[in-house]
Amino acid sequence: MNKKMNHRHKFADCYDMVCLFGGLVFFVPVALLVRTQAGVSESEFFLLQALLSCITALGEVPFGHITDKIGYKNSLILYQALLLIARALLFAAFLSRSLFLFVVEAVVESEAFCFASGTSSAYLYELHGEEGYLAKSTRAGNFSTAGFIISTLSYVFIYDGLGLQGLLAATVISGAICFTLSFFIEREPQKTRNTGEHAAADTEKPLPFTKSIAAIFKNKHALLFSCMLSLFGIAWLLVNFFYADKLIKSNVPVEWLSAIIIAYSAIQMLAEPIINRAVRPGAKLSRLHLTVLSGIICGAAFAIFGALSSVVLVISAMLLIPLMLSIPEYLIGELENKIIDQLELKDNRAASLSVMNIGVNLVQVVSLFAASALTKIGIGWCFAFCGISIIACSLAMLLNRRKSTTGTNE
């Protein structure tokens, strides 16, 4: 326990550096341009993204099972290795203008994401325990966000000087550094067996993989967490795809979008001190109540945002909404791990987390094919529907907790 608590006093460790360099993806602002300049059409680009999301959705649970067998650190190393290969393939595909290599890159990247699904959360929870999980996950998230901000700020200078090749090369280099650093992250504690009078209890075999999945689907709390994460997935898609559309309709120059993205990313980093203060010892609200309250606030902001027309209010909301999304997301990450503990699925933690997270990738697949329908409905209504759904799911979590005697306890 003392070892776990000591992690809180470190400003940064090797895992944080992995998150920092992992956030250095320099070509993100021109991801579509990288493909189209190499001869890929826009429709082919979205098909490649759909392929990536489909493979990830289908593979993340079995890959999570593999992760539980080989260990979380080993899986994180494999994730970084596959991601580095994918970045190199993307560079090669761009230079050779090969659609085949772009397809191979999408497959390799999806396999990397399969290894990542649930692994980071499981790793941090096993390494830092319930006491240190939130503090560490928010800290690591901030390092990743810092990497994103650095890459976004430097993108213009690299693009002006070296073009798209420079952006891709810089991303491959940062990926190589990230892969190297992943070997030096701390290994999670090994599962130990008791001896003596408790040895008999420890000889019981862990719940089989298929029964672990069934246990997740039978638990109402787990299903509600999965539903909430899926709604957050929709919310992030709306932010990423339709912020620009909202700016145009509010008569704000679309050129402001880059500055807004950097600003809201910086503001999003406030999630760490806010959460750490909210969950400090002696806090009046439980984790579940904090999740419900932050979810309701987030949902209300989304529902209102769609109807806003004032430039000042639109930009203010744009800057705050990502922060509002991040806070309940972090809290649900902890609640998911607690549910796994209560269901005695510790030996299948990564796979169980992947089951609860699978809705996020399914939502991405659907949204890629439904993008045109969403625009016809109206972006404002999409934000409103998403916000109302988040509020409803938050309230359902609270009501379900009150009805159950086996829910998440603090």
Side-chain angles (χ1 to χ4, degrees):
M1 181 64 68
N2 290 335
K3 184 179 179 182
K4 291 178 179 179
M5 293 298 288
N6 287 338
H7 285 282
R8 293 185 177 185
H9 301 293
K10 293 182 180 180
F11 170 71
D13 57 22
C14 202
Y15 183 82
D16 294 326
M17 292 299 100
V18 168
C19 293
L20 177 66
F21 282 94
L24 295 175
V25 184
F26 297 93
F27 65 87
V28 167
V30 287
L32 176 60
L33 187 62
V34 167
R35 275 80 172 184
T36 55
Q37 280 209 0
V40 176
S41 67
E42 289 192 17
S43 60
E44 288 172 335
F45 169 76
F46 285 108
L47 285 174
L48 287 171
Q49 295 302 113
L51 174 66
L52 189 154
S53 295
C54 283
I55 295 176
T56 303
L58 292 172
E60 60 183 334
V61 175
F63 273 69
H65 182 53
I66 294 172
T67 292
D68 288 318
K69 296 298 183 183
I70 66 175
Y72 304 137
K73 177 179 177 178
N74 292 334
S75 234
L76 289 171
I77 292 173
L78 285 172
Y79 162 60
Q80 294 298 339
L82 288 170
L83 198 58
L84 175 58
I85 294 170
R87 300 293 187 236
L89 283 169
L90 181 62
F91 196 8
F94 175 78
L95 294 175
S96 62
R97 299 173 63 86
S98 169
L99 178 60
F100 173 74
L101 283 181
F102 278 116
V103 173
V104 175
E105 182 273 332
V107 172
V108 173
E109 188 172 4
S110 64
E111 290 175 348
F113 291 155
C114 287
F115 269 118
S117 177
T119 304
S120 294
S121 180
Y123 170 77
L124 293 178
Y125 195 83
E126 287 290 341
L127 189 61
H128 298 272
E130 182 181 330
E131 299 85 359
Y133 172 80
L134 271 176
K136 183 58 184 176
S137 61
T138 54
R139 175 64 56 87
N142 276 358
F143 273 94
S144 181
T145 302
F148 171 76
I149 293 173
I150 292 169
S151 62
T152 303
L153 288 171
S154 55
Y155 139 78
V156 175
F157 303 103
I158 297 174
Y159 185 56
D160 286 344
L162 301 172
L164 293 176
Q165 295 94 327
L167 295 173
L168 292 170
T171 302
V172 171
I173 292 170
S174 66
I177 295 172
C178 199
F179 171 61
T180 304
L181 287 171
S182 67
F183 284 92
F184 300 97
I185 65 174
E186 187 174 353
R187 188 171 295 278
E188 72 274 8
Q190 296 296 314
K191 296 180 177 66
T192 58
R193 296 285 181 183
N194 288 327
T195 58
E197 60 179 328
H198 299 291
D202 256 350
T203 58
E204 295 180 8
K205 293 183 179 180
L207 201 63
F209 173 56
T210 53
K211 290 187 177 180
S212 297
I213 295 176
I216 292 293
F217 281 113
K218 290 177 182 178
N219 187 278
K220 292 181 180 180
H221 300 287
L223 291 176
L224 284 171
F225 295 157
S226 179
C227 180
M228 195 71 155
L229 288 173
S230 298
L231 290 172
F232 288 151
I234 295 173
W236 281 116
L237 286 169
L238 290 173
V239 168
N240 293 331
F241 288 155
F242 298 118
Y243 256 21
D245 183 79
K246 185 66 176 179
L247 281 177
I248 293 171
K249 290 183 177 179
S250 301
N251 297 317
V252 178
V254 74
E255 291 77 13
W256 288 24
L257 185 59
S258 294
I260 289 173
I261 291 174
I262 293 171
Y264 78 57
S265 297
I267 293 172
Q268 190 179 341
M269 296 173 78
L270 293 173
E272 180 187 1
I274 291 173
I275 289 177
N276 287 343
R277 183 173 179 80
V279 301
R280 69 190 187 281
K284 294 181 180 180
L285 292 177
S286 69
R287 300 287 206 273
L288 181 64
H289 286 99
L290 280 172
T291 306
V292 170
L293 178 60
S294 59
I296 291 173
I297 293 172
C298 173
F302 250 82
I304 295 170
F305 177 71
L308 294 178
S309 57
S310 167
V311 172
V312 174
L313 292 177
V314 166
I315 294 177
S316 298
M318 282 183 167
L319 295 177
L320 293 175
I321 280 176
L323 171 63
M324 295 178 183
L325 273 172
S326 297
I327 292 173
E329 269 190 321
Y330 282 123
L331 292 168
I332 285 180
E334 183 190 48
L335 292 175
E336 283 183 310
N337 279 287
K338 287 185 177 182
I339 283 289
I340 290 170
D341 287 345
Q342 291 168 16
L343 295 175
E344 299 182 351
L345 302 177
K346 297 178 184 179
D347 291 305
N348 292 309
R349 187 179 297 278
S352 299
L353 287 169
S354 294
V355 170
M356 285 188 274
N357 295 341
I358 197 169
V360 177
N361 283 300
L362 292 176
V363 163
Q364 289 180 348
V365 174
V366 172
S367 65
L368 286 167
F369 290 106
S372 59
L374 288 175
T375 55
K376 290 179 181 178
I377 294 172
I379 303 306
W381 284 108
C382 291
F383 275 97
F385 175 77
C386 182
I388 293 170
S389 298
I390 290 174
I391 293 173
C393 194
S394 299
L395 293 174
M397 286 168 55
L398 182 62
L399 292 173
N400 188 62
R401 172 65 183 86
R402 289 180 176 178
K403 291 179 180 179
S404 175
T405 58
T406 60
T408 302
N409 296 315
E410 301 305 319

